[in-house]
Amino acid sequence: MRVFSLRSMVKALILCSVSVSLLLLFQLFSICDNAKNTKLVPALYIFGDSTVDAGNNNNLSTTARAISLPYGIDFNHTATGRFTNGLTVPDYFARFLGLPFAPPYMNLSELERRTTTTGLNFASASSGILPETGSFTGSPLTLDNQTDLFKITAKRLDVQNIKVHLAKSIFFISVGSNDYIMNYRNIASKTNKLFSPDYFAKFLAEELVKRLKKLYLIGARKFVVTGLGPVGCIPAIAKSTPHEGDCAESFNQALLSYNKELFMKLSKLQSQLYGSFFVHTDTFKFLHELKENKEKYGITDTQNACWDGKHDPCAVRDRYIYFDSAHPSQITNSIFAARCFSESSICTPMNVMQLVSA
């Protein structure tokens, strides 16, 4: 009965978001948060960059840290290391799945890492698929570092049957944007001199597949892998290329090439790896639709950042798609998470609820 109740609540979230009842939307989120005993999967494991970092970089030698307000201004008015005003997409997934928020790995003691069996967050801001991406910010956890730390943790995790535990858990991977922003687009990088945009897209998708295979060999079976959004539209890039209009479309075209490659490779990977399931998120499509239908969600600003990094943040954060010049606001994260959890239009070939039962 509790599982059915949670499914009903998630469906209500979608209906609510379409009808613009934001108060009801967050009331329903609160109800999901209170469903403490409805655990649909054993754990949620998170890998990636600043879109999903929950505080790992607070403990690392790097300049990429969200350690002070207004980050977290809507998260108990506390900066937790999340690069947004409130919750991230995997935070909402955890709520819907009946799990606590996955704590950042670097915040925990060895004992806590072994005994935290509902999920861990290994994500590190400024990291990318390629090891060198983000290195100019200091020493973030590369995706390889994250995978290696998870492998160590899986061997020590205090569960009765680690194989079953991992096979039923969900693995959320959000990475790739920095490989374009900090690497391929960086004039100091040699990458864009060595690779054409199409070749780099293929190369980058292949490199991610190698890391996904490593997670599979450790025991992961259920994956949610994010495609890249229209990064050319984030304020940091769009405002630096005003001659291209509201978005740097030439940059976006390169990202679309990567998304196409990733989708094809994930489909092939699922057929190759026995018992695996891969959900691909069309983040590009989602943000395009959100901009086109912003009135449905009470959003009024689709181009500017709520917080410019210098002055006080905007008073009503839920009216902005972007919280800072590079990261989405909590309302954007919440809408995406609710849709991906119950719809199959932006998360294919199945939504997260279907992945739970796969």
Side-chain angles (χ1 to χ4, degrees):
M1 291 297 291
R2 283 177 176 171
V3 172
F4 174 79
S5 176
L6 186 55
R7 286 177 177 170
S8 300
M9 284 188 283
V10 173
K11 288 181 180 179
L13 278 168
I14 302 300
L15 293 174
C16 171
S17 63
V18 172
S19 65
V20 205
S21 178
L22 292 178
L23 177 59
L24 179 57
L25 177 65
F26 286 106
Q27 286 176 338
L28 286 167
F29 280 143
S30 298
I31 293 172
C32 288
D33 195 33
N34 290 331
K36 302 294 185 182
N37 298 320
T38 307
K39 194 165 73 167
L40 299 185
V41 296
L44 175 64
Y45 294 101
I46 302 158
F47 305 81
D49 54 29
S50 59
T51 56
V52 290
D53 188 349
N56 280 309
N57 275 27
N58 290 359
N59 301 280
L60 298 172
S61 178
T62 173
T63 58
R65 293 193 282 181
I67 57 176
S68 58
L69 291 172
Y71 289 119
I73 191 171
D74 297 307
F75 194 114
N76 295 328
H77 207 76
T78 302
T80 62
R82 291 167 171 82
F83 285 74
T84 186
N85 54 305
L87 304 183
T88 63
V89 170
D91 288 331
Y92 283 108
F93 279 174
R95 282 185 169 184
F96 301 155
L97 293 167
L99 299 170
F101 297 149
Y105 175 89
M106 297 301 297
N107 282 15
L108 305 179
S109 67
E110 287 299 328
L111 176 62
E112 289 172 325
R113 292 167 183 170
R114 189 174 70 248
T115 56
T116 301
T117 59
T118 53
L120 291 167
N121 187 316
F122 297 88
S124 181
S126 80
S127 65
I129 297 168
L130 303 179
E132 62 270 24
T133 297
S135 58
F136 78 92
T137 68
S139 301
L141 296 175
T142 67
L143 190 56
D144 288 331
N145 294 152
Q146 296 174 36
T147 304
D148 290 342
L149 290 173
F150 173 69
K151 184 177 182 179
I152 294 170
T153 302
K155 290 179 179 179
R156 301 173 179 174
L157 204 59
D158 189 14
V159 294
Q160 288 187 339
N161 191 326
I162 187 62
K163 184 177 180 179
V164 172
H165 173 86
L166 296 179
K168 292 185 176 181
S169 295
I170 289 179
F171 291 74
F172 185 93
I173 300 96
S174 178
V175 69
S177 295
N178 290 330
D179 293 289
Y180 280 95
I181 299 172
M182 300 180 181
N183 195 334
Y184 193 73
R185 190 175 181 268
N186 188 342
I187 59 174
S189 171
K190 296 180 180 179
T191 308
N192 58 6
K193 299 178 180 65
L194 296 173
F195 301 116
S196 68
D198 286 344
Y199 190 88
F200 183 69
K202 292 179 181 179
F203 171 72
L204 196 60
E206 288 170 358
E207 290 298 303
L208 178 57
V209 164
K210 291 178 183 178
R211 276 74 179 177
L212 296 175
K213 286 182 177 178
K214 288 182 180 179
L215 288 173
Y216 176 85
L217 291 174
I218 297 170
R221 293 296 181 268
K222 298 182 178 184
F223 299 83
V224 178
V225 184
T226 65
L228 302 184
V231 180
C233 298
I234 65 174
I237 292 178
K239 293 185 181 301
S240 67
T241 55
H243 59 284
E244 293 196 43
D246 294 340
C247 299
E249 292 301 341
S250 58
F251 192 34
N252 282 344
Q253 287 304 311
L255 304 178
L256 285 172
S257 295
Y258 168 81
N259 286 341
K260 182 180 179 181
E261 286 293 330
L262 179 62
F263 179 77
M264 291 189 297
K265 291 185 184 303
L266 291 181
S267 298
K268 184 178 180 181
L269 196 58
Q270 181 165 316
S271 67
Q272 293 174 335
L273 302 180
Y274 177 79
S276 68
F277 301 91
F278 288 89
V279 172
H280 174 265
T281 80
D282 194 339
T283 312
F284 203 103
K285 176 182 177 181
F286 163 73
L287 283 170
H288 175 73
E289 291 180 351
L290 185 58
K291 288 185 176 183
E292 290 294 313
N293 301 283
K294 60 182 184 296
E295 295 85 2
K296 292 183 179 180
Y297 303 98
I299 292 172
T300 58
D301 196 313
T302 64
Q303 298 178 19
N304 300 299
C306 165
W307 177 52
D308 62 6
K310 301 175 182 178
H311 307 92
D312 291 337
C314 60
V316 186
R317 272 79 66 184
D318 289 341
R319 293 180 181 172
Y320 286 71
I321 282 183
Y322 300 105
F323 177 64
D324 66 11
S325 63
H327 301 95
S329 61
Q330 176 176 255
I331 187 65
T332 302
N333 290 333
S334 69
I335 297 167
F336 177 86
R339 288 191 60 190
C340 187
F341 200 85
S342 289
E343 295 181 14
S344 295
S345 59
I346 59 170
C347 290
T348 58
M350 66 182 77
N351 59 43
V352 176
M353 194 65 192
Q354 292 167 331
L355 181 65
V356 169
S357 304

